[in-house]
């Protein structure tokens, strides 16, 4: 309320004893005028002066107080003052009486409170009024409470109630006396041994455990102090205690996953250790319910970067499931056990690259006392690919329990061949570069073979002349024989090098067909290898080998490589075949009635099945082949436009624009910042009924896509932008 509030208005009219007394209105005006003048009214004095009207006046005073506190909270959301709820000691929310503030987080403020009906201390998390006005924040706050309430478990902080009182949203939960494991990780570090602050107490959010204190909570933590002492005196016992805590958390997460809840923000700060050595999982603010609405922005990566799984850090929502919690828990146990994070960089860009591409340092190299079996369990749970980790958090807990019981764990350390394959899967560009180098060597060898073959022919002619010129003496004949033998040996060696060069080219071709195939992630490296193989075979042909059978074989294998490249291009074009379901696209392409009917038949759904039918790649290729050359070219241009910012990852675009490696890294960073790295593959999304075109996915942020495209195009050189315009053709914008 501000100074312009009408002096005659009385907020929150009620129906109670004393309302018809004219003195009530005058006293309420006096109380309101004190607020408007910037002074806090003396409520107790006014009620004491008029005890016969106290019941009626108290209700009016409550309404005025809440209005002014709400206005104060809203006015403090800008830069400068911190966010406030306007609540003070003694205020009530439902059946909970607030005692004091004990913590702050990204989604609200936590108070210690007393539940009068059950005479118990609880923690009450309150959503500030400024956040409640934001539908997305309110929805996330509600999902946080629902997720925690849905997964009742002895190691998950219990939610007692959720409610709303006079526009203030809150939920009550168990109050935990303890310490967050991020504090334990810092105190138990092998490099910085310290003692726990004896004045420290803990808040249930796990976000301000190092700064909260005061009366009401215990002033020391009997569970943390022995652990810290073990960390500094007996590392082996300390590692067993860390494994025990990890097993408790894994059991809790396995139960949550079975209930359809993925936490998505497991980290030391969200794990609480109470005075009995009991660990609690808290803060479900980023949780995703299996049957609930998505509460994160499309393209947004959620969680704390240091503990994110690779698919979570890369924003790959298609691969994001319960196994991301398995990775985050393993990263947490790694930090507690080794005394440092799995990836210690403080630079966000470097840290993101390490999570996405690098293997963590084996923790035994950081702490030599760490048991090999525990290290094996952690390294399995920290695998880049979700399928290489434990399938469930329960399996991780089982292996930790085997370690604690002194039994062999089921996890196995990856072999050298496994590490090579996983490295190749994460670094296809590096693999392509290495194979490309081999191809270059093969091409060089082929050229050398051709030169040697030419020298062999010249030497043979010289040998004949030498025979005639030195026929007079036996010594001359012997010399000529020796020279001929030497030259024949050189010719044989040249032929061997030629064969090796061809065999290497054949191996590269075999890898592209058998190992890479049509898997989409390998199509960029596959194209580069095919082009390198094509150059190799052409170089061998240019060497002028004199065996017609060899030349015929080179002609055949060259044609085969060209055919594979053409098939790859055709498959890429076929990805855009679904666009012909849009009426605007059909008009743009001027499809004939027969062509339109062919498209409808290909995408026709089964009888009774309302889902969109995908005819498969081969059927899409047939549709593409049925188009005239100009129709096919224009459809490909429209398809490129529909793919949006992610099209700059496609080999055709990379090749057409001649993007350098630093440019591709820069574009990837823009995609991650604006779309989280996993925006819809096509700019307009998939689905939609025939003739209506693709649907936008839920929560799709068109502005984020447009911003990403603008930033990427701005990063290109002028000649690259010209090449982009030629590749896309004239803009195509369907009506929505």
């Amino acid at each position: 309320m501000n100074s312009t509030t009408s002096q005659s208005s009385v907020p929150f009219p009620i129906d109670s004893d004393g309302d018809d007394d004219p003195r009530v209105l005058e006293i309420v005006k006096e109380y309101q005028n004190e607020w408007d003048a910037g002074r806090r009214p003396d409520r107790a004095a006014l009620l004491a002066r008029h005890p016969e009207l106290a019941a009626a006046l108290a209700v009016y005073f409550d309404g005025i107080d809440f209005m002014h506190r709400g206005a104060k909270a809203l006015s403090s959301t800008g830069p400068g003052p911190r966010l406030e709820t306007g609540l003070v000691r003694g205020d009530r929310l439902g059946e909970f009486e607030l005692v004091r503030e004990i913590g702050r987080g990204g989604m609200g403020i936590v108070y210690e409170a007393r539940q009068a009906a059950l005479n118990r201390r609880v923690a009450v998390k309150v959503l500030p009024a400024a956040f409640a006005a934001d539908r997305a924040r309110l929805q996330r706050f509600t999902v946080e409470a629902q997720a925690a309430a849905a997964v009742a478990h002895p190691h998950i902080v219990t939610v007692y109630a959720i409610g709303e009182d006079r526009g203030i949203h809150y939920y009550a939960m168990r109050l935990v006396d303890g310490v967050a494991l991020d504090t334990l990780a810092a105190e138990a570090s092998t490099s910085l041994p310290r003692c726990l602050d004896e004045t420290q107490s803990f808040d249930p959010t796990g976000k301000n455990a190092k700064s909260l204190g005061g009366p009401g909570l215990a002033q020391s933590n009997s569970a943390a102090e022995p652990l810290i002492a073990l960390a500094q005196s007996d590392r082996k016992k300390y590692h067993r205690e860390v494994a025990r805590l990890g097993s408790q958390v894994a059991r809790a997460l396995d139960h949550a996953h079975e209930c359809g809840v993925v936490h998505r923000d497991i980290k030391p700060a969200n794990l609480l250790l109470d005075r009995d050595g009991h660990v609690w999982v808290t803060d479900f603010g980023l949780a995703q319910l299996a049957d609930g609405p998505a509460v994160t922005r499309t393209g947004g990566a959620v969680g704390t970067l240091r503990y994110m799984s690779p698919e979570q850090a890369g924003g790959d929502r298609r691969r994001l499931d319960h196994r991301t919690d398995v990775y985050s828990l393993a990263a947490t146990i790694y930090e507690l056990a080794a005394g440092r994070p799995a990836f210690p960089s403080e630079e966000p860009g470097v840290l993101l690259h390490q999570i996405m591409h690098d293997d963590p340092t084996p923790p035994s190299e950081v702490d030599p006392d760490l048991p090999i079996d525990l290290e094996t369990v952690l390294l399995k749970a920290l695998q880049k690919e979700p399928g290489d980790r434990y399938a469930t958090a329960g399996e991780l807990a089982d292996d930790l329990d085997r370690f604690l019981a002194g039994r062999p764990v089921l996890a196995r350390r990856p072999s050298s061949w496994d590490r090579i394959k996983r490295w190749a899967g994460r670094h296809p560009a590096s693999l392509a570069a290495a194979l490309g180098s081999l191809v270059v060597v093969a091409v060089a060898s082929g050229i050398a073979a051709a030169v040697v073959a030419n020298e062999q022919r010249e030497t043979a002619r010289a040998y004949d002349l030498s025979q005639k010129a030195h026929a007079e003496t036996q010594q001359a004949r012997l010399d000529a024989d020796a020279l001929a033998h030497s030259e024949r040996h050189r010719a044989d060696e040249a032929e061997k090098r030629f064969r090796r060069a061809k065999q290497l080219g054949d191996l590269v071709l075999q890898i592209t067909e058998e190992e890479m195939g049509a898997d989409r992630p390998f199509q960029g490296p596959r194209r580069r290898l095919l082009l390198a193989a094509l150059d190799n075979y052409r170089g061998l042909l240019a060497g002028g080998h004199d065996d017609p059978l060899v030349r015929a074989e080179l002609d055949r294998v060259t044609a085969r490589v060209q055919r594979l490249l053409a098939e790859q291009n055709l498959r890429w074009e076929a990805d855009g075949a679904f666009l012909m379901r849009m009426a605007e696209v059909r008009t743009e392409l001027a499809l004939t009635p027969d062509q339109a009917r062919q498209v409808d038949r290909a995408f026709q759904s089964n009888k009774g099945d309302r889902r969109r039918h995908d005819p498969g790649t081969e059927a899409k290729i047939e549709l593409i082949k049925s188009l005239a050359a100009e129709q096919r070219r224009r459809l490909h241009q429209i398809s490129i436009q529909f793919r949006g910012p992610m099209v700059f990852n496609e080999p055709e675009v990379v090749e057409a624009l001649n993007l350098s490696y630093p440019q591709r890294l820069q574009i990837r960073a823009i995609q991650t910042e604006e779309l989280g790295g996993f925006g819809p593959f096509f700019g307009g999304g998939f689905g939609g009924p025939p003739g209506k075109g693709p649907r936008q996915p839920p929560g799709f942020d068109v502005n984020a896509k447009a911003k990403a495209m603008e930033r990427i195009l701005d990063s290109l050189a002028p000649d690259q932008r010209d090449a982009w315009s030629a590749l896309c053709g004239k803009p195509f914008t369907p009506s929505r």
Side-chain angles (χ1 to χ4, degrees):
M1 186 178 298
N2 55 39
S3 60
T4 62
T5 303
S6 170
Q7 299 298 314
S8 63
S9 63
V10 179
F12 302 101
I14 60 173
D15 183 14
S16 64
D17 294 339
D19 283 355
D20 55 354
D21 192 318
R23 291 178 297 166
V24 172
L25 180 60
E26 295 302 321
I27 297 170
V28 170
K29 286 183 179 180
E30 178 184 350
Y31 191 83
Q32 183 171 304
N33 289 340
E34 287 294 304
W35 272 114
D36 292 340
R39 299 185 295 271
R40 187 180 183 91
D42 190 343
R43 177 189 180 115
L46 286 173
L47 294 178
R49 281 165 40 196
H50 305 282
E52 71 281 5
L53 301 177
L57 290 173
V59 178
Y60 282 99
F61 290 171
D62 285 343
I64 293 174
D65 289 345
F66 269 99
M67 289 173 60
H68 280 275
R69 284 198 295 266
K72 178 182 178 183
L74 290 172
S75 66
S76 64
T77 59
R82 67 178 187 171
L83 189 64
E84 298 289 347
T85 63
L87 299 172
V88 297
R89 178 186 178 93
D91 284 344
R92 296 181 66 88
L93 290 176
E95 60 178 320
F96 304 100
E97 180 180 352
L98 303 185
V99 176
R100 65 190 182 99
E101 179 183 327
I102 58 175
R104 288 173 173 263
M107 283 301 299
I109 300 176
V110 181
Y111 297 86
E112 180 186 355
R114 177 178 173 272
Q115 187 178 11
L118 299 178
N119 191 28
R120 66 178 174 184
R121 295 161 60 224
V122 299
V124 176
K125 188 167 186 177
V126 178
L127 183 68
F131 284 2
D134 183 340
R135 179 175 299 179
R137 289 181 184 269
L138 178 58
Q139 184 182 21
R140 180 178 290 178
F141 184 84
T142 303
V143 168
E144 176 182 356
Q146 292 174 343
V151 291
H153 188 271
H155 292 284
I156 296 178
V157 173
T158 307
V159 171
Y160 297 139
I162 180 172
E164 182 261 338
D165 189 353
R166 289 161 291 186
I168 300 177
H169 296 266
Y170 67 92
Y171 71 88
M173 56 187 164
R174 180 188 182 98
L175 181 65
V176 178
D177 276 0
V179 63
L181 292 188
D182 63 337
T183 301
L184 177 61
E187 298 291 342
S189 171
T190 57
S191 59
L192 296 173
R194 292 169 289 180
C195 293
L196 184 66
D197 182 0
E198 294 185 353
T199 66
Q200 177 177 292
S201 58
F202 179 69
D203 76 288
T205 64
K207 300 183 184 302
N208 295 278
K210 299 180 183 179
S211 61
L212 300 178
L217 291 179
Q219 297 302 309
S220 65
N221 188 280
S222 59
E225 291 174 347
L227 282 177
I228 294 172
L230 281 178
Q232 299 175 349
S233 62
D234 191 335
R235 296 295 294 178
K236 291 186 180 297
K237 289 184 179 180
Y238 171 72
H239 293 144
R240 294 182 58 81
E241 285 301 307
V242 170
R244 181 183 64 83
L245 297 178
S247 177
Q248 292 180 5
V249 176
R251 296 291 181 199
L253 290 177
D254 189 52
H255 175 75
H257 297 160
E258 290 178 350
C259 295
V261 176
V262 180
H263 191 285
R264 300 200 299 178
D265 197 21
I266 292 297
K267 58 184 178 181
N270 287 338
L271 303 177
L272 319 181
L273 183 66
D274 67 15
R275 300 167 61 82
D276 298 321
H278 191 94
V279 67
W280 298 83
V281 180
T282 187
D283 198 349
F284 283 75
L286 298 179
Q288 178 64 53
L289 302 180
D291 56 352
V295 294
T296 54
R297 177 175 62 85
T298 298
V302 297
T304 303
L305 180 58
R306 187 173 300 284
Y307 308 97
M308 282 186 187
S309 63
E311 64 271 19
Q312 192 177 9
D316 192 348
R317 218 170 24 179
R318 295 167 298 180
R319 298 196 303 158
L320 191 61
D321 57 20
H322 63 278
R323 291 171 295 184
T324 192
D325 285 350
V326 172
Y327 181 100
S328 298
L329 175 57
T332 297
I333 299 174
Y334 182 113
E335 182 172 347
L336 293 172
R340 50 150 272 189
F343 298 105
S345 176
E346 297 295 334
E347 294 294 330
V350 175
L351 182 58
L352 177 61
H353 183 274
Q354 290 176 338
I355 293 172
M356 297 289 291
H357 301 290
D358 296 343
D359 290 326
T361 301
S364 61
E365 294 183 16
V366 181
D367 183 359
D369 292 327
L370 193 138
I372 292 299
D373 278 356
L374 180 57
E375 177 182 86
T376 301
V377 170
L378 294 179
L379 293 181
K380 177 177 177 62
L382 286 170
Q383 289 297 311
K384 301 297 183 189
E385 290 298 323
D388 294 332
R389 302 172 200 149
Y390 291 98
T392 65
E395 291 186 6
L396 171 58
D398 291 341
D399 245 3
L400 288 172
D401 289 344
R402 291 186 187 94
F403 162 72
L404 291 171
R407 293 184 284 118
V409 298
L410 297 185
R412 290 294 176 265
R413 303 176 77 85
S415 65
S416 299
W417 177 241
D418 290 335
R419 288 193 292 269
I420 291 172
K421 288 195 296 184
R422 292 170 185 172
W423 181 89
R426 298 197 306 269
H427 303 83
S430 299
L431 175 63
L435 293 177
S437 298
L438 292 176
V439 171
V440 169
V441 172
V443 171
S445 298
I447 294 174
V451 171
V452 171
N454 184 63
E455 291 180 356
Q456 178 186 6
R457 289 189 291 271
E458 295 296 328
T459 302
R461 287 193 291 269
Y463 168 72
D464 293 336
L465 294 174
S466 176
Q467 284 286 81
K468 295 177 181 179
H470 298 85
E472 296 82 5
T473 65
Q474 181 66 26
Q475 186 62 45
R477 285 193 298 270
L478 292 176
D479 291 342
D481 288 341
L483 179 61
H485 176 77
S486 175
E487 292 303 324
R488 288 193 185 95
H489 178 72
R490 290 177 57 192
D492 290 342
E493 290 298 316
E495 182 66 14
K496 290 179 182 179
R497 287 193 292 272
F498 174 88
R499 293 294 179 183
R500 284 197 295 268
K502 184 179 180 301
Q503 289 172 358
L504 184 56
D506 293 342
L507 176 60
V508 171
L509 183 57
Q510 181 183 1
I511 289 173
T512 63
E513 290 187 297
E514 296 179 1
E515 301 296 330
M516 296 182 172
D519 291 345
R520 188 166 194 84
F522 290 100
Q523 292 313 296
R526 185 174 190 260
R527 182 179 180 83
R528 294 178 63 188
L529 288 175
L530 286 172
L531 290 173
L534 183 62
D535 288 341
N536 179 43
Y537 291 132
R538 286 174 173 169
L540 293 177
L541 280 169
H545 199 286
D546 53 7
D547 189 336
L549 294 179
V550 173
R551 294 190 62 83
E553 173 61 18
L554 289 174
D555 286 334
R556 284 195 298 272
V557 75
T558 300
R560 178 181 168 196
V561 174
Q562 291 172 328
R563 183 176 67 257
L564 290 174
L565 286 168
E567 289 175 0
Q568 186 184 43
N569 291 337
L570 188 57
R571 284 179 175 273
W572 202 62
E573 285 188 62
D575 283 344
F578 80 99
L579 292 169
M580 288 188 287
R581 299 170 63 238
M582 298 175 58
E584 292 96 331
V585 174
R586 296 186 185 200
T587 301
E588 180 74 9
L589 300 182
L591 293 184
T592 66
D594 288 340
Q595 288 175 323
R597 283 192 292 271
Q598 185 177 354
V599 172
D600 291 338
R601 285 195 300 271
F603 287 94
Q604 178 177 307
S605 300
N606 294 328
K607 186 175 181 180
D609 187 358
R610 304 179 63 181
R611 296 174 297 177
R612 176 172 61 85
H613 171 67
D614 186 347
T617 301
E618 299 303 323
K620 293 176 185 177
I621 289 175
E622 291 304 317
L623 287 178
I624 294 299
K625 289 181 177 180
S626 69
L627 300 179
E630 181 58 26
Q631 290 175 320
R632 184 168 166 180
R633 182 187 66 83
R634 183 55 180 159
L635 176 61
H636 190 50
Q637 291 176 343
I638 295 172
S639 173
I640 290 175
Q641 296 180 39
F642 263 75
R643 292 169 194 255
M646 305 307 290
V647 78
F648 291 91
N649 298 334
E650 296 295 343
E652 180 188 17
V653 176
V654 173
E655 183 178 337
L657 303 186
N658 195 22
L659 295 176
S660 65
Y661 180 70
Q663 284 182 307
R664 283 182 279 145
L665 287 181
Q666 182 181 6
I667 289 172
R668 176 59 181 161
I670 293 172
Q671 292 168 343
T672 300
E673 293 169 7
E674 300 297 337
L675 304 175
F678 57 92
F681 186 72
F682 290 94
F686 290 102
K692 299 291 187 180
R695 293 193 300 259
Q696 297 289 3
F700 178 69
D701 192 340
V702 176
N703 292 332
K705 171 195 166 187
K707 184 177 179 182
M709 284 294 297
E710 181 180 359
R711 290 182 60 190
I712 292 173
L713 292 177
D714 287 342
S715 70
L716 300 179
D719 59 333
Q720 290 175 320
R721 287 195 290 270
D722 291 340
W724 169 254
S725 298
L727 194 63
C728 293
K730 65 180 181 179
F732 175 78
T733 307
S735 58
R736 294 290 184 188

